[in-house]
């Protein structure tokens, strides 16, 4: 064993010295290789973290949301639907939700106005999301003025700024009292935006939803599991889009790496010929080249992966933020919580380290099995 | 000329060219292992956040990732027509519309 290890160390010494002789070329390769791993790992870690965070947050979303549809569009739902839904067996609790959108021409941003079930602000006051406070430069006690649906001016005093920790779900929220909400939007009492339900037995959720579509044909139920699946699909889709965009650069890298790894230069062939002539056997040459591939690809993987980890979890994915923001003025500043899927890291490792190492070894094996004299000529 | 590996002196052993890359690689592997532990530890401490409490308290359904259009702000609540709200052949106005797929429920036949 000791003999084997020492032998490998000498082979590594020789490989490093050989790589150092073509320093510029190999450093260039390491740089490009690292960049590719960095981009792939960044996308992977970011989407994985968002997906995990979404599943942790939205697991507390309402079990069923019932929306009323009119001519294919979302319509306000009358209060008497609550009583009709209450008759469905299995429904444990239900409440009407009041929420809507407001476009603020001052900062050209969309807000979500909502009435909390508990701890609602008193009339004339508002609790604002952290991104709104940041964008409009608001502090506690400041006033926010909007024009209502009837053209009247409304001034709300900021009574609370929602915690920045919850920005991923509350960036654009404005929490107001029920009276203010109804007056502001001109919504009559007895109408709600939609209805949220809790079902006694989680296994019966689908059955309850089916009963609701029969009982109230102009409504559609949205289940929590569908909300979770939507976000799961969203991040898979986005990861897919970025990977497709990266495909061009990936292919360029594959061609570059394949050319570098598999196309032996005359100098390298001569080197192999000399090694064989001075007594190295084919196995030694292959092991030496294996170390070359492994050192470069493992080094690039580690550098790229660790840089991506820092980028996502310490610098909050600064490079991706402009893409995610789109046209939105309000964008949540959030700190992705690290969640690493071992299988994904293993897949990334396999698809970045393994092909390069193989691409290095195979042509060498071909050159090393030929006669030294023929190789050197 | 050494005949076997044992004849190499310790002074010579320390100066070998392969030592530094191996140390760097070992360091990289160590930091990689630390990053896995860091992720595990931070995920444990962040699980019960204020965000989850707010979702439960207000009955929120969506993430505030794309606030520019109602069908991207409340993605899971969007109806079949919301991306084409102006008329049936109107193209999607908002860039984030190309970043988000239709809700899972609407993609089922």
């Amino acid at each position: 064993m000791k003999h084997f290890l020492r032998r490998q160390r000498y082979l590594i010494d020789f490989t490093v010295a050989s790589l150092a002789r073509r320093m510029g070329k190999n450093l260039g390769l390491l740089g490009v290789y690292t960049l590719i791993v960095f981009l792939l790992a960044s996308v992977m870690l970011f989407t994985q973290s968002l997906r995990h965070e979404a599943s942790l947050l939205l697991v507390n979303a309402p079990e069923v949301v019932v929306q009323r549809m009119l001519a294919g569009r979302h319509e306000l739902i009358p209060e008497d639907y609550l009583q009709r839904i209450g008759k469905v067996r299995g429904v444990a609790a239900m409440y009407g939700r009041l929420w809507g959108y407001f476009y603020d021409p001052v900062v050209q941003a969309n807000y979500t106005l909502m009435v909390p079930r508990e701890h609602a602000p008193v009339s004339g006051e508002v609790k604002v999301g952290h991104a709104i406070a940041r964008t409009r430069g608001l502090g506690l006690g400041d006033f926010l003025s909007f024009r209502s649906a009837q053209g009247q001016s409304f001034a709300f005093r900021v009574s609370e700024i929602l915690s920045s920790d919850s920005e991923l779900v509350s960036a654009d929220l404005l929490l107001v009292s029920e009276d203010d909400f109804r007056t502001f939007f001109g919504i009559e009492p007895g109408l709600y935006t939609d209805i949220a339900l809790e079902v006694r037995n989680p296994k019966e959720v689908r059955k309850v939803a089916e009963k609701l579509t029969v009982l109230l044909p102009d409504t559609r139920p949205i289940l929590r599991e569908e909300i979770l699946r939507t976000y799961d699909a969203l991040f898979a889709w986005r990861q897919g889009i970025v990977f497709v965009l990266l495909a061009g650069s990936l292919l360029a890298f594959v061609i570059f790496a394949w050319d570098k790894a598999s196309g032996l230069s005359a100098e390298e062939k001569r080197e192999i010929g000399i090694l064989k002539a001075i007594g190295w056997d084919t196995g030694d040459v292959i092991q030496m080249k294996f170390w070359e591939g492994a050192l470069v690809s493992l080094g690039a993987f580690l550098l790229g992966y660790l840089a991506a980890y820092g980028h996502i979890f310490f610098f909050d994915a600064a490079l991706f933020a402009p893409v995610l923001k789109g046209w939105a003025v309000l964008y949540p500043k959030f700190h992705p919580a690290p969640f690493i899927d071992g299988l994904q890291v293993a897949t990334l490792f396999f698809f970045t380290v393994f092909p390069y190492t193989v691409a290095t070894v195979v042509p060498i094996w071909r050159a090393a099995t030929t006669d030294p004299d023929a190789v050197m000529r | 000329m050494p005949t076997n590996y044992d004849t190499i002196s310790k002074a010579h052993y320390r100066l070998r060219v392969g030592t530094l890359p191996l140390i760097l690689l070992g360091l990289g592997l160590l930091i990689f292992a630390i990053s896995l532990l860091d992720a595990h530890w931070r995920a444990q401490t962040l699980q019960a956040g204020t965000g989850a409490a707010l979702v439960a308290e207000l009955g929120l359904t969506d993430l505030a990732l794309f606030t520019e259009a109602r069908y991207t702000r409340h993605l899971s609540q969007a109806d079949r027509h919301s991306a084409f709200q102006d008329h049936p052949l109107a193209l999607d106005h908002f860039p984030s519309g190309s970043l988000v797929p239709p809700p899972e429920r609407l993609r089922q036949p």
Side-chain angles (χ1 to χ4, degrees):
Chain A
M1 188 64 192
K2 203 173 171 186
H3 173 80
F4 173 79
L5 288 177
R6 285 192 165 177
R7 185 185 173 82
Q8 298 308 315
R9 279 226 50 193
Y10 279 101
L11 283 169
I12 290 171
D13 286 346
F14 186 87
T15 308
V16 172
S18 164
L19 285 171
R21 277 198 292 278
R22 292 177 288 272
M23 176 100 75
K25 202 175 169 187
N26 286 316
L27 278 182
L29 173 74
L30 188 71
V32 176
Y33 205 156
T34 303
L35 191 67
I36 291 284
V37 176
F38 168 75
L39 287 174
L40 291 176
S42 290
V43 174
M44 190 192 84
L45 290 174
F46 189 54
T47 48
Q48 196 61 38
S49 162
L50 269 180
R51 191 188 291 192
H52 183 64
E53 194 136 339
S55 68
L56 281 180
L57 287 171
L58 297 176
V59 80
N60 293 323
E63 212 154 17
V64 184
V65 174
V66 180
Q67 277 184 354
R68 185 172 167 233
M69 305 296 288
L70 185 69
R73 287 178 184 235
H74 182 189
E75 180 66 19
L76 296 176
I77 195 162
E79 199 172 18
D80 65 302
Y81 278 51
L82 279 169
Q83 284 136 28
R84 291 162 74 184
I85 291 169
K87 288 177 189 157
V88 175
R89 195 186 291 256
V91 175
M94 69 205 139
Y95 57 92
R97 296 197 312 159
L98 277 171
W99 61 275
Y101 302 106
F102 178 75
Y103 175 70
D104 183 1
V106 177
V107 287
Q108 299 185 323
N110 285 318
Y111 302 150
T112 300
L113 267 81
M114 194 168 204
V115 178
R117 263 187 303 163
E118 295 159 10
H119 315 299
V122 295
S123 193
E125 291 196 343
V126 65
K127 296 180 182 179
V128 299
H130 211 268
I132 298 178
R134 190 171 55 238
T135 310
R136 291 209 43 162
L138 293 173
L140 286 179
D142 288 350
F143 281 88
L144 258 177
S145 294
F146 302 129
R147 277 171 75 84
S148 74
Q150 283 77 31
Q152 296 163 324
S153 190
F154 265 78
F156 295 102
R157 199 179 74 85
V158 177
S159 64
E160 186 182 330
I161 294 171
L162 298 174
S163 162
S164 62
D165 293 343
S166 65
E167 230 176 291
L168 193 54
V169 286
S170 68
D172 65 338
L173 280 189
L174 286 175
L175 302 180
V176 294
S177 70
E178 183 173 343
D179 289 345
D180 283 349
F181 185 89
R182 290 188 186 279
T183 321
F184 187 73
F185 286 114
I187 295 176
E188 299 292 320
L191 289 173
Y192 292 100
T193 311
D194 51 29
I195 290 172
L197 307 182
E198 297 300 328
V199 177
R200 198 167 287 121
N201 180 359
K203 287 179 185 163
E204 283 181 2
V205 174
R206 282 207 163 269
K207 198 74 211 158
V208 168
E210 274 172 32
K211 284 183 193 166
L212 286 174
T213 45
V214 174
L215 182 72
L216 306 164
D218 61 340
T219 63
R220 58 167 196 167
I222 299 165
L223 312 185
R224 185 198 287 153
E225 60 177 270
E226 287 170 347
I227 294 174
L228 290 169
R229 271 214 310 274
T230 294
Y231 278 90
D232 200 47
L234 166 69
F235 298 120
W237 169 293
R238 182 138 13 114
Q239 183 170 349
I241 288 177
V242 181
F243 280 161
V244 168
L245 293 177
L246 281 177
S249 50
L250 259 178
L251 278 176
F253 171 71
V254 168
I255 294 167
F256 172 65
W258 185 263
D259 182 58
K260 162 74 187 65
S262 64
L264 286 182
S265 65
E267 192 193 344
E268 280 171 310
K269 280 186 185 166
R270 222 171 93 82
E271 187 181 317
I272 292 165
I274 293 169
L275 289 176
K276 289 204 75 178
I278 60 170
W280 284 45
D281 60 27
T282 308
D284 294 333
V285 176
I286 291 175
Q287 278 184 36
M288 186 265 283
K289 280 292 168 182
F290 163 79
W291 278 116
E292 185 181 317
L295 286 174
V296 170
S297 54
L298 192 62
F301 173 81
L302 287 173
L303 277 174
Y305 177 84
L306 293 174
Y309 190 87
H311 167 225
I312 301 299
F313 302 126
F314 293 106
F315 294 97
D316 301 334
L319 292 176
F320 292 157
V323 182
L324 284 171
K325 279 178 186 169
W327 284 8
V329 174
L330 296 175
Y331 179 73
K333 262 191 190 167
F334 62 96
H335 312 289
F339 175 76
I340 291 175
D341 181 356
L343 186 67
Q344 279 207 331
V345 176
T347 311
L348 183 73
F349 177 82
F350 183 79
F351 281 105
T352 49
V353 173
F354 187 71
Y356 184 78
T357 310
V358 171
T360 324
V361 169
V362 171
I364 289 294
W365 173 74
R366 265 199 239 130
T369 48
T370 50
D371 182 40
D373 183 45
V375 174
M376 276 194 284
R377 268 172 209 277
Chain B
M1 184 73 188
T3 50
N4 59 48
Y5 304 117
D6 295 331
T7 58
I8 305 294
S9 71
K10 279 192 173 174
H12 187 222
Y13 189 82
R14 275 201 295 273
L15 292 171
R16 286 160 58 171
V17 285
T19 309
L20 185 65
L22 276 183
I23 288 174
L24 289 177
L25 215 57
L27 206 63
L29 283 170
L30 185 70
I31 301 174
F32 176 70
I34 291 172
S35 80
L36 294 179
L37 289 175
D38 174 58
H40 182 71
W41 180 75
R42 281 169 52 170
Q44 295 272 311
T45 53
L46 284 171
Q47 260 175 8
T50 47
L54 200 69
V55 169
E57 187 188 329
L58 299 176
L60 301 176
T61 52
D62 288 82
L63 303 184
L65 277 176
F66 307 102
T67 54
E68 63 203 65
R70 63 188 164 88
Y71 57 92
T72 54
R73 168 62 180 92
H74 288 97
L75 185 63
S76 67
Q77 310 294 301
D79 59 65
R80 210 176 274 277
H81 314 281
S82 48
F84 308 102
Q85 49 197 310
D86 293 335
H87 62 87
L89 289 177
L91 295 175
D92 194 351
H93 296 301
F94 298 101
S96 57
S98 59
L99 280 175
V100 296
E104 186 66 12
R105 174 175 36 79
L106 297 184
R107 292 202 283 167
Q108 292 158 1

